[in-house]
Amino acid sequence: MDALTLSRLGVKHTKSAVAESLRINTGYDMTSPVTFYGIVNERCNVKCRQCEYWRLKEYKDEI
Protein backbone atom coordinates (compact mmCIF):
# COMPACT_ATOMS: atom_id res chain seq x y z
CA MET A 1 0.00 0.00 0.00
CA ASP A 2 1.11 3.51 -0.65
CA ALA A 3 1.35 6.22 2.00
CA LEU A 4 -1.85 7.98 0.89
CA THR A 5 -3.95 4.84 1.24
CA LEU A 6 -2.45 4.06 4.63
CA SER A 7 -3.04 7.59 5.87
CA ARG A 8 -6.69 7.52 4.73
CA LEU A 9 -7.19 4.20 6.47
CA GLY A 10 -5.55 5.59 9.62
CA VAL A 11 -7.89 8.59 9.60
CA LYS A 12 -10.93 6.32 9.24
CA HIS A 13 -9.83 4.15 12.15
CA THR A 14 -9.05 7.19 14.30
CA LYS A 15 -12.49 8.69 13.60
CA SER A 16 -14.08 5.34 14.42
CA ALA A 17 -12.17 5.05 17.71
CA VAL A 18 -13.16 8.60 18.74
CA ALA A 19 -16.81 7.97 17.82
CA GLU A 20 -16.84 4.70 19.78
CA SER A 21 -15.29 6.35 22.81
CA LEU A 22 -17.86 9.14 22.61
CA ARG A 23 -20.68 6.59 22.38
CA ILE A 24 -19.41 4.65 25.40
CA ASN A 25 -18.80 7.72 27.57
CA THR A 26 -21.78 9.91 26.65
CA GLY A 27 -24.30 7.68 24.87
CA TYR A 28 -24.17 9.90 21.75
CA ASP A 29 -23.92 7.51 18.80
CA MET A 30 -22.18 8.71 15.65
CA THR A 31 -20.38 5.46 14.87
CA SER A 32 -20.24 3.99 11.38
CA PRO A 33 -18.81 0.77 9.98
CA VAL A 34 -15.18 0.86 8.82
CA THR A 35 -15.16 -2.47 6.99
CA PHE A 36 -17.68 -5.04 5.82
CA TYR A 37 -17.04 -8.73 5.23
CA GLY A 38 -19.37 -11.00 3.30
CA ILE A 39 -19.21 -14.42 1.72
CA VAL A 40 -21.09 -15.08 -1.49
CA ASN A 41 -21.68 -18.62 -2.65
CA GLU A 42 -24.03 -20.55 -4.89
CA ARG A 43 -25.31 -22.95 -2.27
CA CYS A 44 -28.64 -22.72 -0.48
CA ASN A 45 -30.35 -25.03 2.00
CA VAL A 46 -33.80 -23.40 1.87
CA LYS A 47 -35.24 -25.34 -1.10
CA CYS A 48 -38.02 -22.93 -2.04
CA ARG A 49 -40.81 -24.40 -4.19
CA GLN A 50 -40.36 -21.88 -7.01
CA CYS A 51 -36.57 -22.33 -7.18
CA GLU A 52 -35.08 -25.00 -9.41
CA TYR A 53 -31.48 -24.42 -8.40
CA TRP A 54 -31.49 -27.04 -5.64
CA ARG A 55 -32.92 -29.64 -8.06
CA LEU A 56 -29.82 -29.59 -10.28
CA LYS A 57 -27.64 -32.73 -10.42
CA GLU A 58 -24.50 -30.89 -9.34
CA TYR A 59 -26.21 -29.18 -6.37
CA LYS A 60 -24.55 -29.73 -2.96
CA ASP A 61 -26.09 -28.86 0.40
CA GLU A 62 -24.02 -26.35 2.32
CA ILE A 63 -25.05 -27.33 5.83
Side-chain angles (χ1 to χ4, degrees), residues 11-28:
V11 168
K12 281 186 178 182
H13 282 284
T14 302
K15 284 182 180 179
S16 179
V18 169
E20 185 67 19
S21 179
L22 184 64
R23 186 187 65 80
I24 290 170
N25 293 325
T26 66
Y28 180 71

Side-chain angles (χ1 to χ4, degrees), residues 1 3-4 6 9 12 14-15 17-18 21 28-29 31 34 37 39-41 43-44 50 52 54-55 58:
M1 278 192 213
L4 182 61
L6 286 175
L9 187 59
K12 281 186 178 182
T14 302
K15 284 182 180 179
V18 169
S21 179
Y28 180 71
D29 189 8
T31 58
V34 175
Y37 296 99
I39 299 173
V40 179
N41 60 33
R43 297 177 184 172
C44 177
Q50 74 275 11
E52 294 184 12
W54 61 272
R55 294 183 178 109
E58 60 274 356

